[in-house]
Amino acid sequence: MQALFDAFSAYPALFIATVALLSLIVGSFLNVLIYRLPIMMEREWQQEYQAYFAADSATVAPAAPFNLAVPRSRCPACQTPIRARDNIPVLSWLLLGGKCRQCQTAISPRYPAVEALTALLSGVVAWQLGFGLPALLFIFITWLLIALTFIDIDKMLLPDQLTLPLLWLALLFSLTDSALVNPAQAIVGAACGYLSLWSVYWLFKLLTGKEGMGYGDFKLLAVFGALLGWQQLPLIILLSSVVGAVIGIILLSIQGKDKATPIPFGPYIAAAGWIAMLWGEQMTNAYLRYLGL
């Protein structure tokens, strides 16, 4: 194992290629996670409801197992299980012409897009940071940010099952010699990240009577506060707000929807936070130089 680590350190291209290839495979798993985790959560909520509020009702037959491993992936149209040769990231979709081998129903291009995006972003992290603990952590965070982004797009939801482990991981990382901030700064950053959006949420709700964002957004920003420190939070909030406003207006205009239509904010926090992980300090320093500070 040490020989492999030495090779990654001596040959950055080998590390980047290995990360990209592994991330293609991980991207295939992320597609499963993005689709199944919300369904698993919904089923868990239903079971909890039955246990607490419908205990005296007729017994409901237990549902078939449904988790990240069971049942096997299958075509949603013809229900044919997907064979291993048809489940190679990106390549299988291209060879099949974007269609199911059995029924020729079109397969969404989002599946290979998620796989390719995972490989691309992970490769950028490996290229930017080089082999080491920060790169390995940031690559893992990148994987979960991609899952959170697409779940939020689909369901307007940032699951605690992903955000809370990320928060604890960022806090534990602050204990290492490779951390960007010390533990005290990480705790303050997490609190500032959470409370900043929490304050905006309640101010907006008191003024309008509406909910402007969800609690998952608070937790996701807390992750970046714990990882990068409170100093990077203004950059993340600014980037996510500007990009979110522009893209949101464009999408609502294209789709012809009312401006009151809710749009997920998590993807913009995730994108801004990912940028800040890699280039936040340089961007902040450049801005301060521009101001002559």
PDB file of all heavy atoms in Angstrom, residues 75-87:
ATOM      1  N   CYS A  75     -34.625  -1.931 -15.855  1.00  0.00           N
ATOM      2  CA  CYS A  75     -35.230  -0.955 -16.751  1.00  0.00           C
ATOM      3  C   CYS A  75     -36.581  -0.541 -16.183  1.00  0.00           C
ATOM      4  O   CYS A  75     -37.419  -1.408 -15.887  1.00  0.00           O
ATOM      5  CB  CYS A  75     -35.409  -1.559 -18.145  1.00  0.00           C
ATOM      6  SG  CYS A  75     -36.373  -0.520 -19.286  1.00  0.00           S
ATOM      7  N   PRO A  76     -36.839   0.754 -16.034  1.00  0.00           N
ATOM      8  CA  PRO A  76     -38.123   1.174 -15.476  1.00  0.00           C
ATOM      9  C   PRO A  76     -39.308   0.874 -16.386  1.00  0.00           C
ATOM     10  O   PRO A  76     -40.447   0.844 -15.918  1.00  0.00           O
ATOM     11  CB  PRO A  76     -37.948   2.693 -15.296  1.00  0.00           C
ATOM     12  CG  PRO A  76     -36.843   3.070 -16.239  1.00  0.00           C
ATOM     13  CD  PRO A  76     -35.940   1.887 -16.318  1.00  0.00           C
ATOM     14  N   ALA A  77     -39.055   0.646 -17.663  1.00  0.00           N
ATOM     15  CA  ALA A  77     -40.150   0.385 -18.609  1.00  0.00           C
ATOM     16  C   ALA A  77     -40.529  -1.095 -18.653  1.00  0.00           C
ATOM     17  O   ALA A  77     -41.690  -1.459 -18.446  1.00  0.00           O
ATOM     18  CB  ALA A  77     -39.761   0.866 -20.001  1.00  0.00           C
ATOM     19  N   CYS A  78     -39.548  -1.962 -18.903  1.00  0.00           N
ATOM     20  CA  CYS A  78     -39.848  -3.389 -19.061  1.00  0.00           C
ATOM     21  C   CYS A  78     -39.473  -4.219 -17.838  1.00  0.00           C
ATOM     22  O   CYS A  78     -39.732  -5.439 -17.814  1.00  0.00           O
ATOM     23  CB  CYS A  78     -39.158  -3.946 -20.301  1.00  0.00           C
ATOM     24  SG  CYS A  78     -37.344  -3.973 -20.191  1.00  0.00           S
ATOM     25  N   GLN A  79     -38.833  -3.580 -16.840  1.00  0.00           N
ATOM     26  CA  GLN A  79     -38.458  -4.241 -15.581  1.00  0.00           C
ATOM     27  C   GLN A  79     -37.412  -5.344 -15.755  1.00  0.00           C
ATOM     28  O   GLN A  79     -37.236  -6.183 -14.875  1.00  0.00           O
ATOM     29  CB  GLN A  79     -39.691  -4.816 -14.873  1.00  0.00           C
ATOM     30  CG  GLN A  79     -40.722  -3.773 -14.472  1.00  0.00           C
ATOM     31  CD  GLN A  79     -40.130  -2.749 -13.504  1.00  0.00           C
ATOM     32  OE1 GLN A  79     -39.564  -3.105 -12.491  1.00  0.00           O
ATOM     33  NE2 GLN A  79     -40.258  -1.474 -13.850  1.00  0.00           N
ATOM     34  N   THR A  80     -36.705  -5.342 -16.876  1.00  0.00           N
ATOM     35  CA  THR A  80     -35.650  -6.324 -17.085  1.00  0.00           C
ATOM     36  C   THR A  80     -34.415  -5.920 -16.268  1.00  0.00           C
ATOM     37  O   THR A  80     -33.954  -4.785 -16.368  1.00  0.00           O
ATOM     38  CB  THR A  80     -35.251  -6.394 -18.568  1.00  0.00           C
ATOM     39  OG1 THR A  80     -36.403  -6.761 -19.337  1.00  0.00           O
ATOM     40  CG2 THR A  80     -34.135  -7.411 -18.785  1.00  0.00           C
ATOM     41  N   PRO A  81     -33.885  -6.831 -15.442  1.00  0.00           N
ATOM     42  CA  PRO A  81     -32.673  -6.503 -14.681  1.00  0.00           C
ATOM     43  C   PRO A  81     -31.528  -6.117 -15.618  1.00  0.00           C
ATOM     44  O   PRO A  81     -31.365  -6.699 -16.693  1.00  0.00           O
ATOM     45  CB  PRO A  81     -32.367  -7.796 -13.914  1.00  0.00           C
ATOM     46  CG  PRO A  81     -33.691  -8.500 -13.814  1.00  0.00           C
ATOM     47  CD  PRO A  81     -34.407  -8.173 -15.099  1.00  0.00           C
ATOM     48  N   ILE A  82     -30.764  -5.127 -15.204  1.00  0.00           N
ATOM     49  CA  ILE A  82     -29.656  -4.653 -16.032  1.00  0.00           C
ATOM     50  C   ILE A  82     -28.436  -5.531 -15.788  1.00  0.00           C
ATOM     51  O   ILE A  82     -27.977  -5.677 -14.650  1.00  0.00           O
ATOM     52  CB  ILE A  82     -29.330  -3.181 -15.699  1.00  0.00           C
ATOM     53  CG1 ILE A  82     -30.550  -2.311 -15.985  1.00  0.00           C
ATOM     54  CG2 ILE A  82     -28.131  -2.697 -16.503  1.00  0.00           C
ATOM     55  CD1 ILE A  82     -30.376  -0.856 -15.591  1.00  0.00           C
ATOM     56  N   ARG A  83     -27.936  -6.115 -16.870  1.00  0.00           N
ATOM     57  CA  ARG A  83     -26.777  -6.986 -16.743  1.00  0.00           C
ATOM     58  C   ARG A  83     -25.496  -6.172 -16.559  1.00  0.00           C
ATOM     59  O   ARG A  83     -25.451  -4.983 -16.870  1.00  0.00           O
ATOM     60  CB  ARG A  83     -26.667  -7.871 -17.987  1.00  0.00           C
ATOM     61  CG  ARG A  83     -27.783  -8.907 -18.068  1.00  0.00           C
ATOM     62  CD  ARG A  83     -27.711  -9.704 -19.343  1.00  0.00           C
ATOM     63  NE  ARG A  83     -28.102  -8.908 -20.512  1.00  0.00           N
ATOM     64  CZ  ARG A  83     -28.222  -9.393 -21.741  1.00  0.00           C
ATOM     65  NH1 ARG A  83     -27.968 -10.678 -21.963  1.00  0.00           N
ATOM     66  NH2 ARG A  83     -28.605  -8.617 -22.730  1.00  0.00           N
ATOM     67  N   ALA A  84     -24.473  -6.850 -16.053  1.00  0.00           N
ATOM     68  CA  ALA A  84     -23.212  -6.163 -15.736  1.00  0.00           C
ATOM     69  C   ALA A  84     -22.620  -5.491 -16.965  1.00  0.00           C
ATOM     70  O   ALA A  84     -22.116  -4.369 -16.886  1.00  0.00           O
ATOM     71  CB  ALA A  84     -22.215  -7.161 -15.137  1.00  0.00           C
ATOM     72  N   ARG A  85     -22.692  -6.132 -18.120  1.00  0.00           N
ATOM     73  CA  ARG A  85     -22.094  -5.553 -19.320  1.00  0.00           C
ATOM     74  C   ARG A  85     -22.839  -4.317 -19.804  1.00  0.00           C
ATOM     75  O   ARG A  85     -22.302  -3.522 -20.575  1.00  0.00           O
ATOM     76  CB  ARG A  85     -22.043  -6.594 -20.440  1.00  0.00           C
ATOM     77  CG  ARG A  85     -23.406  -7.039 -20.955  1.00  0.00           C
ATOM     78  CD  ARG A  85     -23.267  -7.914 -22.179  1.00  0.00           C
ATOM     79  NE  ARG A  85     -24.552  -8.348 -22.702  1.00  0.00           N
ATOM     80  CZ  ARG A  85     -24.715  -8.954 -23.871  1.00  0.00           C
ATOM     81  NH1 ARG A  85     -23.659  -9.203 -24.645  1.00  0.00           N
ATOM     82  NH2 ARG A  85     -25.904  -9.329 -24.274  1.00  0.00           N
ATOM     83  N   ASP A  86     -24.091  -4.182 -19.360  1.00  0.00           N
ATOM     84  CA  ASP A  86     -24.875  -3.002 -19.734  1.00  0.00           C
ATOM     85  C   ASP A  86     -24.841  -1.926 -18.641  1.00  0.00           C
ATOM     86  O   ASP A  86     -25.581  -0.950 -18.707  1.00  0.00           O
ATOM     87  CB  ASP A  86     -26.335  -3.395 -20.004  1.00  0.00           C
ATOM     88  CG  ASP A  86     -26.462  -4.284 -21.223  1.00  0.00           C
ATOM     89  OD1 ASP A  86     -25.583  -4.212 -22.103  1.00  0.00           O
ATOM     90  OD2 ASP A  86     -27.439  -5.061 -21.290  1.00  0.00           O
ATOM     91  N   ASN A  87     -23.980  -2.134 -17.648  1.00  0.00           N
ATOM     92  CA  ASN A  87     -23.920  -1.211 -16.517  1.00  0.00           C
ATOM     93  C   ASN A  87     -22.534  -0.605 -16.354  1.00  0.00           C
ATOM     94  O   ASN A  87     -22.195  -0.132 -15.268  1.00  0.00           O
ATOM     95  CB  ASN A  87     -24.330  -1.939 -15.228  1.00  0.00           C
ATOM     96  CG  ASN A  87     -24.926  -1.008 -14.193  1.00  0.00           C
ATOM     97  OD1 ASN A  87     -25.433   0.059 -14.515  1.00  0.00           O
ATOM     98  ND2 ASN A  87     -24.836  -1.404 -12.938  1.00  0.00           N
TER      99      ASN A  87
END
